[in-house]
Amino acid sequence: MTFSIRVSGDAEKAVATHLPVLIQELVASGITNLDASLWGPEAEEEASKRLGWVQAVSVSRPLVAEIVALRAELNAKGVDRFVLGGMGGSSLAPEVITQTAGVELTILDSTSPGQVLAALDGGLERTALIVSSKSGSTVETDSQRRAFEAAFRDLGIDPAERIIVVTDPGSPLDESARAAGYRVFNADPSVGGRYSALTAFGLVPSGLAGADIAELLDEAEASLLEVAIDAPENPALALAAAIAGTRTPDGSARRDKLGLITDGTHIVGLPDWIEQLIAESTGKQGTGILPVVLLPVSPELDAQPADLQIVRLVDDAEEVERRHHGEILVSGSLGAQFVVWEYATAIAGRMLGINPFDQPDVESAKVAARGLLDARPEPTAPAFVEAGVEVRVSDPALAASGTVQGVLDALWAALPEDGYVSIQAYVNRLEIPQLQGLREMVAADSGRPTTFGWGPRFLHSTGQYHKGGPAQGVFLQITERTELDVEIPERPFTFGQLIEAQAAGDAAVLADHGRPVVTLTLTDPQAEVLALFEAAQ
């Protein structure tokens, strides 16, 4: 078996309850046969245009030879460094594939000036840029492309020799790239971004970087029969039943938070990909499943919140089954993981009564950011400043204490009983990667499941859930003020202004949805991170 799942405790009860129904309703074979009616009449039109991922393995096979040949061609010209400019589904799958394969791919999924500059300064004479955008109009990716085009020209390098584009046919990027003479790979337009791991979006960057994408497709193909059958042995049916149907210990509510732990698996970084797939697919109409990426020693494992179900990604689910009672244990090849989780997420959407293929609340933050870039209002004055940290709040009552620690305590006090904390860091993560450790402290201090996302990357991942999912979240934004900035050629704003507008725009949208938001701006990030950690203890 290419994928193994073991369940116990309440998750086992959920599988026993829901699996027979899913089998009787022929859900697995329905998906395999591209039945768009599975998610109800309101979702049918969208679903009919979004099921191409089911056939991605066969559709993508011809790409392999093209990608391998292009890699050899570039290597022969001395090009052996690859930078991927992409957001959400365009970057998360290649990140997992290349990290697991142990090959180098520089992921640029940020508008932080420092990260953009680091990607530009990594040796352009041996660099190729992969511009990856399904819509062809993603502002982050467009800005990154413009910066690289100018940098290549400054060195006397023709951008057409170094820029590869992955986009949907007929997109604005497709047309402009072909006109500029760039190498273009068109992806299947019937596959949504978060389901695109086994399409050109996942394969082109990974294959150019040196990952064995033929083997990845072989792994995925080996799982296709398993997920297509309406039988108890189907791992996707069992996984969907467990993640969307498990109840709290007293049976009063569904467990709507999913803790994802990597523990002994050879696959690197899979929870970040799963996080986007599930959060963006299910977080809408006031419901959803919130993925929470955890460490094996995270506070949530000791606290065991009643509404949190643990999924542990292991090397062999059968071998460790008796060690982790009540958890969902999964193991398998990376290709199989992609297939099974995509099927399971689509099935979970049906169980929750929502359309797993749209993202109705993602655009609001983009619109707000564009409005701020156009209007350029003066920055909102902070409620107060403590030791260089500027504090802004969506509700003045949150700042009543006049201290950072007091503000955080007030934010945790605003948590509902079934709430969660979302930390959103719009900073240069290459300079202060330790900031991610704040998640562990906040989870312990708040006593509730806590997510962490680098901005603006998370806007293309969990951003949909924050606005469209249950109104349970409180939000801690961390931004930075830095003198470093990078121009965006032929645009009236810089990367620094863009990331600032993205943070402020999302904060405004969250506040409009009634979500409590605290924004802490670090004016000296390296020095103030320690103070932030102390305040969160």
Side-chain angles (χ1 to χ4, degrees):
M1 182 177 283
T2 60
F3 185 98
S4 182
I5 175 171
R6 291 292 182 270
V7 293
S8 57
D10 292 321
E12 186 176 17
K13 295 177 186 175
V15 172
T17 299
H18 297 284
L19 186 59
V21 178
L22 295 171
I23 292 170
Q24 182 181 1
E25 294 176 347
L26 305 179
V27 174
S29 59
I31 292 175
T32 305
N33 291 324
L34 311 182
D35 182 358
S37 68
L38 286 170
W39 297 274
E42 290 185 9
E44 188 165 358
E45 182 182 0
E46 179 77 18
S48 69
K49 300 180 290 187
R50 289 289 178 260
L51 288 170
W53 53 273
V54 175
Q55 301 172 328
V57 173
S58 59
V59 171
S60 296
R61 281 286 183 190
L63 286 174
V64 175
E66 285 185 62
I67 296 166
V68 171
L70 179 57
R71 172 176 165 79
E73 178 186 324
L74 289 166
N75 285 171
K77 296 177 180 177
V79 177
D80 61 1
R81 175 179 180 260
F82 295 91
V83 176
L84 171 59
M87 305 299 294
S90 297
S91 63
L92 289 166
E95 185 173 63
V96 178
I97 296 167
T98 54
Q99 286 183 344
T100 300
V103 299
E104 184 179 350
L105 176 66
T106 298
I107 306 284
L108 182 56
D109 56 359
S110 177
T111 47
S112 160
Q115 284 182 244
V116 174
L117 200 57
L120 289 168
D121 287 348
L124 281 180
E125 68 282 350
R126 60 182 189 89
T127 296
L129 173 71
I130 303 146
V131 180
S132 193
S133 169
K134 179 176 174 61
S135 68
S137 58
T138 310
V139 65
E140 297 96 335
T141 311
D142 176 74
S143 301
Q144 293 155 358
R145 174 185 59 80
R146 291 170 182 273
F148 270 83
E149 284 174 339
F152 281 135
R153 290 192 183 105
D154 286 347
L155 289 179
I157 298 171
D158 182 357
E161 295 182 0
R162 297 296 186 88
I163 294 181
I164 300 103
V165 168
V166 185
T167 189
D168 278 2
S171 75
L173 178 59
D174 185 34
E175 295 173 1
S176 64
R178 292 184 186 281
Y182 296 162
R183 178 66 180 268
V184 178
F185 287 88
N186 282 142
D188 183 348
S190 67
V191 182
R194 57 187 175 273
Y195 291 85
S196 66
L198 297 170
T199 72
F201 286 109
L203 300 180
V204 173
S206 304
L208 290 178
D212 189 340
I213 54 176
E215 181 182 29
L216 181 72
L217 291 178
D218 289 343
E219 293 171 354
E221 186 171 25
S223 70
L224 292 179
L225 180 59
E226 293 176 60
V227 298
I229 58 173
D230 299 298
E233 298 75 29
N234 185 327
L237 290 177
L239 183 58
I243 66 174
T246 301
R247 310 290 293 181
T248 54
D250 64 3
S252 63
R254 178 177 61 84
R255 293 190 186 179
D256 61 358
K257 298 169 188 69
L258 197 68
L260 301 169
I261 302 173
T262 297
D263 189 4
T265 176
H266 68 287
I267 300 171
V268 181
L270 187 62
D272 286 345
W273 176 81
I274 296 172
E275 179 183 45
Q276 186 214 8
L277 177 68
I278 292 179
E280 200 167 62
S281 295
T282 69
K284 56 199 72 167
Q285 297 176 32
T287 189
I289 302 167
L290 177 68
V292 184
V293 179
L294 302 174
L295 300 174
V297 293
S298 287
E300 288 90 339
L301 292 173
D302 290 329
Q304 296 186 340
D307 52 350
L308 178 70
Q309 174 61 50
I310 298 296
V311 175
R312 193 176 294 262
L313 308 171
V314 298
D315 186 55
D316 186 338
E318 297 178 30
E319 183 181 314
V320 302
E321 182 176 2
R322 283 174 290 188
R323 286 186 234 158
H324 303 287
H325 183 75
E327 298 183 355
I328 302 166
L329 306 174
V330 299
S331 60
S333 66
L334 179 55
Q337 295 275 3
F338 283 148
V339 170
V340 174
W341 280 100
E342 286 174 354
Y343 262 81
T345 300
I347 296 164
R350 173 184 165 90
M351 292 175 63
L352 296 176
I354 51 90
N355 176 1
F357 306 115
D358 67 353
Q359 47 283 329
D361 300 290
V362 166
E363 189 64 25
S364 58
K366 298 179 184 178
V367 171
R370 283 196 294 265
L372 290 170
L373 287 170
D374 291 341
R376 301 285 176 83
E378 286 296 313
T380 305
F384 65 88
V385 180
E386 182 185 33
V389 178
E390 298 177 357
V391 179
R392 294 172 176 83
V393 293
S394 59
D395 178 354
L398 291 169
S401 67
T403 68
V404 172
Q405 183 174 351
V407 168
L408 295 182
D409 288 342
L411 189 61
W412 312 157
L415 278 162
E417 187 177 343
D418 58 354
Y420 67 92
V421 181
S422 170
I423 305 173
Q424 309 169 346
Y426 292 85
V427 301
N428 179 357
R429 68 175 179 267
L430 301 179
E431 288 293 321
I432 44 175
Q434 68 270 31
L435 189 58
Q436 191 160 5
L438 184 66
R439 196 217 75 83
E440 305 301 312
M441 293 185 173
V442 168
D445 194 40
S446 69
R448 291 299 301 159
T450 299
T451 65
F452 182 94
W454 297 107
R457 160 181 165 135
F458 80 86
L459 290 174
H460 300 259
S461 178
T462 52
Q464 166 63 41
Y465 189 98
H466 297 157
K467 272 86 75 175
Q472 304 166 330
V474 301
F475 299 85
L476 175 60
Q477 280 194 344
I478 302 168
T479 65
E480 64 180 344
R481 180 151 299 123
T482 171
E483 295 180 2
L484 181 67
D485 207 348
V486 178
E487 297 285 332
I488 303 174
E490 299 180 16
R491 281 289 180 260
F493 50 84
T494 65
F495 277 102
Q497 291 167 334
L498 175 55
I499 194 170
E500 190 175 294
Q502 289 175 307
D506 194 48
V509 173
L510 288 168
D512 287 345
H513 280 72
R515 313 302 203 242
V517 184
V518 168
T519 302
L520 304 180
T521 301
L522 310 181
T523 56
D524 185 357
Q526 289 285 359
E528 291 157 9
V529 164
L530 182 58
L532 187 55
F533 274 56
E534 291 173 350
Q537 285 183 341

